[in-house]
Amino acid sequence: MTIAADAAATKILLSESEMPSHWYNIVPDLPSPPPPVLHPGTLQPIGPDDLAPLFPQALIEQEVTTERYVEIPEEVQEVYRLWRPSPLFRAHRLERLLGTPAKIYYKYEGVSPAGSHKPNTAVPQAYYNAAAGIRRLTTETGAGQWGTALAFASAQFGLECEIWQVRASYDQKPYRKMMIETFGGTIHPSPSELTEAGRRILAADPDSPGSLGIAISEAVEVAAQSPDTNYALGSVLNHVLLHQTVIGEEALAQLAKVGAVPDVIVGCTGGGSNFAGLAFPFLREKLAGRMAPVIRAVEPSSCPSLTKGVYAYDFGDTAGMTPLMKMHTLGHDFIPDPIHAGGLRYHGMSPLISHVYELGLIEAVAKNQRECFEAGVTFARSEGIIPAPEPTHALAACIEEALRCKETGEPKVILTALCGHGHLDLPAYGRFLAGEMVDHELSADAVAAAMASLPAVPA
Amino acid sequence: MTIAADAAATKILLSESEMPSHWYNIVPDLPSPPPPVLHPGTLQPIGPDDLAPLFPQALIEQEVTTERYVEIPEEVQEVYRLWRPSPLFRAHRLERLLGTPAKIYYKYEGVSPAGSHKPNTAVPQAYYNAAAGIRRLTTETGAGQWGTALAFASAQFGLECEIWQVRASYDQKPYRKMMIETFGGTIHPSPSELTEAGRRILAADPDSPGSLGIAISEAVEVAAQSPDTNYALGSVLNHVLLHQTVIGEEALAQLAKVGAVPDVIVGCTGGGSNFAGLAFPFLREKLAGRMAPVIRAVEPSSCPSLTKGVYAYDFGDTAGMTPLMKMHTLGHDFIPDPIHAGGLRYHGMSPLISHVYELGLIEAVAKNQRECFEAGVTFARSEGIIPAPEPTHALAACIEEALRCKETGEPKVILTALCGHGHLDLPAYGRFLAGEMVDHELSADAVAAAMASLPAVPA
C-alpha cells in the first residue's frame, strides 16, 4: 500500500496508509526545556486550571506534554484524508529557470480545503472541543487562512464558528468573508464594536487597521464569557505547532523515497506554526546526528520579531488578557504596517521557536515584500502555483540560496514549505504587477517605541 | 511504480508513470461519423487549408483524425506532471450527509495551475503552436478558467497570450484578470473597441454584457490578421475534446483499482470539453460492451442548448466568422442571462457531443442555478472543496441521483467530474448565501427569437 517514487518525479506522493499516525513533540528532544508560561497577576507558572476557560482538557494536556509522540485520533485522520498526505514537489522548472545546480523541493499545503496548512491544527482543535461538549469556537484571523480553516473544521464537527479578522486584511481580501460564510462561519472585522477590547481600541483610533493582537483580545473576551464557547488559536502555542508536524513527518518520508537529504530548510514565520511543522521533525533528525541541515526562518522586514525583537516575557494579545510567554517580541502594542502577508503580521514569535532560536538551532532572516512578490511571480510562471504572500518570503530565500549555489556550483538540496496558495490574495499580485507596492522596513525608532509596552517581569 | 489502493480510501491516486500516454479519439468507435464542418460561403466541407490561418498543422490533423489514439508528446507530459494524474475522490462525507447507499466518486481537476480542467488542452495547444513558430495566441474566455489556463500554458512555452473575456464575467470576477496577469497574459473585456466585431456590437448596445460568441469573434479577428498569431479555443472542437480524455482515462484506471464500475456518469456541459473528457473513455467501454453506465450531461436552464436548442448547422461565433458546424444550438446571436456559471454560457454544444446525443448514447438535463449553488454549499461543507459554479450543475444532478438511490435502496456507483474549484467565484456564493440569486429559465419565446439567426443550410 506504499507508493514507490522515481527520483526524477515531479510529485512525490504518499498513500493514505503512509500518513503519520502521530504528531511529534520536540520538547523532550531539546537540550533544555522552554521557559514556563506565567500568570500575568502572580507571575507564577500557570497551571491547567488557568487555561480551562478557553481550551478543552485534551489540548491543555498537549500544550504541556513531555511525551515525544502524540497519537492522532482516527476521527482527525479521517478528515485529514480529504487532502493528506500532501504532495512534495521537485521544482524542476524553477531550477531550470534559475540555472541552478541546487535541487529545490517544496511541500505543498495549498491542497487543503482552506488552501493552507492551517486545517492541520483546526481539525484536531475542532474535534477535541466537540468531544468536550463545546458548542461554539471563537478565533482571530489575519489574512484569513486560519479563520477559513477553523470554519471548515467546525463544519466537520457540527460547531459554530465566530471569527474576528484584522481589519486591514478584511478590507484587502473580501473573498475571505465569502469563503468563511460558505463553510458556515461568521466573520467580523476587528477591532469591532462587539467587544470591550474592540470598543476601547476604536475609541482611541476609529480608523485602526487592527492587529492580530487586538483580534485575539476580542475572540478571547467572547469565549471567556460563555461556558459553551471556547477559543482556538491558529499559531504560537505548543499544541498548534505539535499538530503541524505532520508536514515535516511526511516530507521526511517523501525525501527518503527519492534518497534526498536536505542541506537547507527554509520556511516563513509569522506565529511560527508552518515553520515549526516543517522544521521540527528535521530538527529531531539533526539533534540525533542523522542529518545536518541549516534551518532558516524567514520573516517580513515590517514585522521582524526574531531579527529585531527582544527575547522577553510578553502578552500574546494587545489587551493583555493572555498569560505571559517568553518569546521574541516587538511588544504587544505593536501594530505592523498593512503588508499583504497578513499571516505574518504578529508582534511575537512562538515561545517554542523563540527558545529553539535562542539555543542556536535555527537561523533567521527578514525580507521585504517586493522581493517576496517578485519570487512569487517567478514561481507562478515556472511551477504554475500562485503562492500566498506568506510563503513568498520562504521562496525568496529559496531563490537566494539557489542562486548562491549557482555561484559556487554546489548541488545543495533545498526544502521549503509552500504553505498555501494565493487565490484569495490576488489583489496583492495586482498591486505588485502595477508597480504600486511599497516596502515597509521597520525603523529602529518604531521598534524602540513598541518595546515600551513590554510588561515588567523579574529575570 | 504503481500505487495500490484501498477500497475504503478517500483519494485514489495514480503515480506519474501511470499517467495516460495517449489521448483517446472516440470518432472511429462511433456507429456513424459526425457530419462534416462546412465552409460558410461554399457550404462544402472545409479542408485543412481553411483552418491554417488560425491553427497549427498538428492541431488541424488532430481535429480530423480517425486514429483511435494520439500520442501525448513528452514536452506536454512533462508539464502535465505539475498536477497530473489528478486525484479521484470517494465522497464518503457527502454520502453520509445524504444518507444514501450510493457510492459517489468525483474526479478533481481543480488541482491544476488554473484550478480547472482547462490546462489539459491549453498545454498541448500552446506546445504545438510554439513548435510551429507562432509567437502569440489569442482567445476568448467566459468565467476565466480557459483564459487562465492558456496564460499559464503560454508562459510554459514562451508565447504571448491575449484574451477577450465576456464582460459579464469580467465585471463579476475581477480576480481573474489578476491571475491571468500573474501568469503573464493580457486581458480585455469583450465586446471591446479593439476589434471590428467588438465595435459593431458596442455600436448597437454600449452596455452589452458580451457572450462567448462575441469574444470568439474578437479573438479570431485579431489572430486572422497576423501571421505570427494563432487562435486557441477552449472547448467545442474535436481536438479540444481529445486532449481532455486524460480525465476519463485516469478515472477508468482509478475506479479499476478499487473494483468499482460506474452505473451513472454525470458531467456539466458548456461547450462540452469537460463532459467529453470524462465520459468518452467510458463510452468506449460501453460501446464495447464492457460496462453499461447511464451517461448524463447537465446544462444550465438559462442556456440549454441540448435540451431546448435545435440540431442544425450554425456558426461558432456571433459575427459569423467561423465555419458552420452541425450542433445543438440556441442560435449564434443568443446572449444568455449573466448567470454565474460563465463557462456554461455558450450558444452551441460541441458537434461531437451533439452527434453522440443524436445517436442516443447520452442523456441531458437542465438545472437552475439556485439548485446548483445549494449543491455547491452542501458539497463544500461536507467534502471541503468549494466547487466552481459550472460543476455545481453536475453535483446537483449527482445529489439528485444519490437521493433517488436512498428511495430505492440501490447502491449505485455514481461518477462525476469536479472540473474546478470556485476560489475565484466566491462573490457568486456570497450572493447565493445572501439570498440575492435568481434563476433564469429560458422562455420558449426567447428560444424562438434566437433561432431566427440560424443560417440557411440545405439538408
Side-chain angles (χ1 to χ4, degrees):
Chain A
M1 212 65 81
T2 64
I3 303 180
D6 179 342
T10 299
K11 297 178 297 301
I12 304 153
L13 304 175
L14 299 176
S15 70
E16 291 180 6
S17 63
E18 293 172 289
M19 193 168 76
S21 59
H22 290 72
W23 294 302
Y24 167 60
N25 175 25
I26 200 171
V27 173
D29 286 334
L30 293 176
S32 67
V37 174
L38 304 183
H39 189 287
T42 65
L43 298 186
Q44 294 301 307
I46 59 163
D49 288 354
D50 295 309
L51 296 171
L54 296 182
F55 301 107
Q57 195 55 35
L59 292 176
I60 294 173
E61 281 166 20
Q62 290 180 3
E63 187 63 21
V64 297
T65 185
T66 53
E67 293 293 318
R68 186 169 278 109
Y69 293 99
V70 175
E71 192 168 4
I72 307 175
E74 171 52 29
E75 293 87 340
V76 171
Q77 293 202 40
E78 202 195 331
V79 182
Y80 273 180
R81 285 194 281 268
L82 283 175
W83 73 97
R84 304 212 72 84
S86 69
L88 179 76
F89 283 84
R90 169 80 184 275
H92 286 300
R93 277 170 189 70
L94 178 63
E95 292 169 17
R96 208 180 301 154
L97 183 74
L98 299 174
T100 180
K103 294 183 167 120
I104 304 172
Y105 292 89
Y106 56 97
K107 177 74 170 162
Y108 185 42
E109 293 292 310
V111 292
S112 83
S116 77
H117 65 294
K118 295 291 189 183
N120 295 332
T121 184
V123 171
Q125 288 196 52
Y127 165 71
Y128 289 119
N129 274 290
I134 289 296
R135 191 184 59 78
R136 178 175 66 152
L137 290 176
T138 66
T139 197
E140 79 294 334
T141 197
Q145 296 276 23
W146 167 241
T148 307
L150 196 66
F152 154 71
S154 295
Q156 291 292 323
F157 295 102
L159 296 170
E160 287 178 33
C161 183
E162 193 165 356
I163 298 157
W164 278 261
Q165 181 173 26
V166 177
R167 180 178 283 281
S169 289
Y170 185 89
D171 291 342
Q172 274 174 357
K173 302 174 187 206
Y175 281 33
R176 275 292 164 197
K177 177 177 189 289
M178 305 162 192
M179 194 169 192
I180 284 170
E181 289 176 347
T182 300
F183 283 131
T186 305
I187 181 166
H188 316 288
S190 168
S192 76
E193 294 285 353
L194 299 167
T195 66
E196 183 59 37
R199 287 189 293 269
R200 207 178 315 137
I201 298 283
L202 287 172
D205 177 9
D207 296 325
S208 168
S211 70
L212 278 167
I214 296 169
I216 292 172
S217 293
E218 297 204 86
V220 165
E221 181 183 321
V222 170
Q225 286 164 357
S226 307
D228 66 352
T229 302
N230 267 350
Y231 167 72
L233 188 64
S235 190
V236 179
L237 298 182
N238 295 352
H239 68 270
V240 180
L241 274 53
L242 176 82
H243 299 154
Q244 292 294 354
T245 57
V246 289
I247 302 173
E249 294 288 15
E250 287 180 6
L252 261 172
Q254 286 163 312
L255 285 179
K257 286 204 178 208
V258 291
V261 179
D263 297 299
V264 183
I265 298 172
V266 294
C268 62
T269 45
S273 73
N274 157 64
F275 175 80
L278 177 71
F280 282 2
F282 287 91
L283 188 49
R284 174 189 64 212
E285 301 302 302
K286 185 175 179 172
L287 288 164
R290 288 188 286 266
M291 55 177 67
V294 167
I295 302 178
R296 188 174 297 145
V298 191
E299 57 186 12
S301 297
S302 62
C303 196
S305 55
L306 280 175
T307 55
K308 290 202 180 167
V310 294
Y311 185 51
Y313 272 102
D314 197 4
F315 292 105
D317 71 322
T318 301
M321 301 172 69
T322 71
L324 294 169
M325 297 176 284
K326 192 158 187 186
M327 59 184 179
H328 289 82
T329 178
L330 296 162
H332 63 276
D333 271 356
F334 179 68
I335 296 186
D337 287 309
I339 59 161
H340 291 284
L344 305 186
R345 298 170 71 247
Y346 185 59
H347 68 274
M349 178 51 57
S350 149
L352 196 47
I353 291 178
S354 295
H355 178 59
V356 163
Y357 183 57
E358 284 297 307
L359 290 171
L361 299 174
I362 61 171
E363 304 178 356
V365 295
K367 293 269 174 210
N368 267 311
Q369 68 177 347
R370 281 189 295 189
E371 178 185 353
C372 298
F373 274 91
E374 182 68 47
V377 170
T378 299
F379 190 84
R381 291 185 186 172
S382 52
E383 292 292 314
I385 299 169
I386 299 178
E390 291 79 7
T392 63
H393 290 71
L395 292 173
C398 254
I399 289 174
E400 185 178 48
E401 185 72 37
L403 292 175
R404 210 149 34 212
C405 289
K406 187 178 179 177
E407 294 283 316
T408 63
E410 290 169 287
K412 284 188 185 172
V413 173
I414 304 171
L415 169 66
T416 192
L418 183 57
C419 58
H421 62 67
H423 300 164
L424 273 61
D425 307 287
L426 282 163
Y429 280 91
R431 256 161 286 187
F432 172 73
L433 292 169
E436 294 165 5
M437 189 173 280
V438 292
D439 288 334
H440 297 272
E441 186 122 19
L442 194 64
S443 71
D445 283 357
V447 175
M451 295 306 174
S453 70
L454 282 182
V457 176
Chain B
M1 213 63 81
T2 64
I3 303 180
D6 178 343
T10 300
K11 300 178 296 302
I12 304 152
L13 304 175
L14 299 176
S15 69
E16 291 179 5
S17 63
E18 293 173 289
M19 193 168 76
S21 59
H22 290 73
W23 294 301
Y24 168 60
N25 175 26
I26 200 169
V27 172
D29 286 333
L30 293 175
S32 68
V37 173
L38 303 182
H39 189 286
T42 65
L43 298 185
Q44 293 302 304
I46 59 164
D49 289 354
D50 295 308
L51 296 172
L54 296 183
F55 301 107
Q57 196 55 35
L59 291 176
I60 295 171
E61 281 167 20
Q62 290 180 3
E63 187 63 22
V64 297
T65 184
T66 54
E67 292 294 318
R68 187 171 277 109
Y69 293 99
V70 176
E71 192 168 5
I72 307 176
E74 171 51 29
E75 293 87 342
V76 171
Q77 292 202 41
E78 202 196 332
V79 181
Y80 274 179
R81 284 194 282 265
L82 283 174
W83 74 97
R84 303 214 72 85
S86 69
L88 180 75
F89 283 84
R90 169 80 185 275
H92 286 300
R93 277 172 189 68
L94 178 63
E95 292 170 16
R96 209 180 302 154
L97 182 76
L98 299 174
T100 179
K103 295 185 168 110
I104 304 173
Y105 292 89
Y106 55 97
K107 177 75 171 161
Y108 185 41
E109 293 293 310
V111 292
S112 83
S116 77
H117 64 294
K118 293 292 189 184
N120 295 333
T121 184
V123 171
Q125 289 195 50
Y127 165 72
Y128 289 120
N129 274 290
I134 289 298
R135 191 185 58 78
R136 178 175 65 152
L137 291 176
T138 66
T139 197
E140 79 294 332
T141 197
Q145 298 275 24
W146 166 241
T148 306
L150 197 66
F152 154 72
S154 296
Q156 292 292 325
F157 295 103
L159 296 170
E160 286 178 34
C161 182
E162 193 166 358
I163 298 157
W164 277 260
Q165 182 174 24
V166 177
R167 180 176 284 280
S169 289
Y170 184 90
D171 292 341
Q172 275 172 355
K173 304 177 186 203
Y175 281 32
R176 275 290 165 200
K177 175 178 190 289
M178 304 163 192
M179 193 168 193
I180 285 170
E181 289 175 348
T182 299
F183 283 131
T186 305
I187 181 165
H188 315 288
S190 166
S192 77
E193 293 286 353
L194 298 167
T195 67
E196 183 60 35
R199 288 189 292 270
R200 207 177 316 137
I201 299 283
L202 287 172
D205 177 8
D207 297 324
S208 168
S211 70
L212 279 166
I214 295 169
I216 293 171
S217 292
E218 297 203 87
V220 165
E221 181 183 322
V222 170
Q225 286 164 356
S226 307
D228 66 353
T229 302
N230 266 350
Y231 166 73
L233 188 63
S235 190
V236 178
L237 298 182
N238 295 351
H239 68 270
V240 180
L241 275 52
L242 175 81
H243 299 154
Q244 292 293 354
T245 57
V246 288
I247 302 173
E249 293 288 13
E250 287 180 6
L252 261 173
Q254 286 164 311
L255 285 179
K257 286 203 177 210
V258 291
V261 180
D263 297 300
V264 183
I265 297 172
V266 294
C268 63
T269 44
S273 73
N274 158 66
F275 175 80
L278 177 71
F280 282 2
F282 287 91
L283 189 48
R284 172 190 65 213
E285 301 303 302
K286 185 175 181 173
L287 288 165
R290 289 186 287 264
M291 55 176 70
V294 167
I295 302 178
R296 187 174 298 145
V298 191
E299 58 186 12
S301 297
S302 61
C303 196
S305 55
L306 280 175
T307 55
K308 289 202 180 167
V310 293
Y311 186 51
Y313 272 101
D314 197 4
F315 292 105
D317 72 322
T318 301
M321 300 171 71
T322 70
L324 293 169
M325 297 176 286
K326 192 158 187 186
M327 58 186 178
H328 289 81
T329 178
L330 296 162
H332 62 276
D333 272 356
F334 179 67
I335 296 187
D337 286 309
I339 59 159
H340 291 283
L344 305 185
R345 297 170 71 248
Y346 184 61
H347 67 274
M349 178 52 57
S350 147
L352 196 46
I353 291 180
S354 294
H355 178 60
V356 164
Y357 184 58
E358 284 297 306
L359 290 171
L361 300 174
I362 61 171
E363 299 178 354
V365 295
K367 293 269 173 210
N368 267 311
Q369 68 176 349
R370 282 189 295 188
E371 178 185 353
C372 298
F373 274 92
E374 182 68 49
V377 170
T378 299
F379 190 84
R381 293 186 185 171
S382 52
E383 293 292 313
I385 299 169
I386 299 178
E390 291 79 6
T392 63
H393 290 72
L395 291 174
C398 253
I399 289 174
E400 184 177 50
E401 185 72 37
L403 292 176
R404 209 148 36 211
C405 289
K406 187 177 179 178
E407 295 283 316
T408 63
E410 290 169 286
K412 283 188 186 173
V413 172
I414 304 172
L415 170 67
T416 192
L418 182 56
C419 59
H421 62 67
H423 300 163
L424 273 61
D425 306 288
L426 282 163
Y429 280 90
R431 255 161 284 187
F432 172 72
L433 291 169
E436 292 164 5
M437 189 174 278
V438 293
D439 288 334
H440 297 271
E441 185 120 19
L442 194 65
S443 71
D445 282 359
V447 176
M451 296 306 176
S453 70
L454 284 181
V457 176

